[in-house]
Amino acid sequence: MYSCRPSNNAVGLCKHCYRYVSQQNLIDTGWGIVCSEACAKELEVSRNIVAVSAESLSQSKPTAQVYAEAISRNKKFHSSMVVTWALGLLFSIMQSLSKGDKDYPITFAAIFFVLIFYSLLKIKINNAMLKKLAKLL
């Protein structure tokens, strides 16, 4: 094999397999010594994994920022839903009045008012959460 015993003038340990390496079998990769070409290839794979991980970590956002972006999207969604619910309410009232039905608009008005109230409440909660997160960022 490519390794030697410490008594046979070992100069170090293989950076990949941790076997003793003699001067004759030593391969310097620039990132450590290895005992064989196979270990050199494995060490290069490890170096690439570390480099990719470091790069992706440097590009990541803080958790508070990711959370703030998600809350902002949720706030925009509920803002658009208020308009949608209001248009649905208006449409249902106009439709029922054209047919002369009075129970229909009351039922749908109650449903749409609950939906509008829910969306307005979510917008208010999201605003409060964004203010708290702004202090962290």
Side-chain angles (χ1 to χ4, degrees), residues 7-135:
S7 61
N8 292 347
N9 298 327
V11 293
L13 291 174
C14 176
K15 181 89 173 191
H16 177 67
C17 69
Y18 303 108
R19 292 184 180 140
Y20 292 105
V21 180
S22 66
Q23 187 66 39
Q24 297 90 347
N25 299 326
L26 178 116
I27 300 172
D28 187 2
T29 63
W31 207 47
I33 60 171
V34 292
C35 64
S36 67
E37 287 295 325
C39 285
K41 289 177 185 176
E42 290 295 326
L43 189 61
E44 185 61 31
V45 168
S46 298
R47 284 180 72 177
N48 290 337
I49 290 171
V50 169
V52 168
S53 296
E55 182 180 337
S56 69
L57 185 60
S58 69
Q59 295 173 358
S60 65
K61 299 176 185 176
T63 304
Q65 184 178 354
V66 172
Y67 192 51
E69 290 170 1
I71 292 171
S72 293
R73 284 191 303 273
N74 191 281
K75 180 181 163 188
K76 287 177 186 176
F77 168 76
H78 283 287
S79 296
S80 66
M81 290 313 294
V82 167
V83 174
T84 303
W85 302 137
L87 289 173
L89 173 62
L90 182 64
F91 178 75
S92 66
I93 289 172
M94 289 174 50
Q95 191 72 1
S96 62
L97 290 177
S98 68
K99 293 182 179 182
D101 187 5
K102 296 192 184 210
D103 291 334
Y104 183 81
I106 293 171
T107 304
F108 275 91
I111 293 170
F112 281 113
F113 278 127
V114 168
L115 294 172
I116 290 170
F117 178 75
Y118 172 75
S119 288
L120 290 173
L121 184 63
K122 285 297 285 185
I123 291 168
K124 183 177 179 178
I125 291 169
N126 288 336
N127 281 336
M129 291 170 69
L130 285 172
K131 285 180 186 177
K132 288 180 182 179
L133 284 172
K135 292 177 185 177

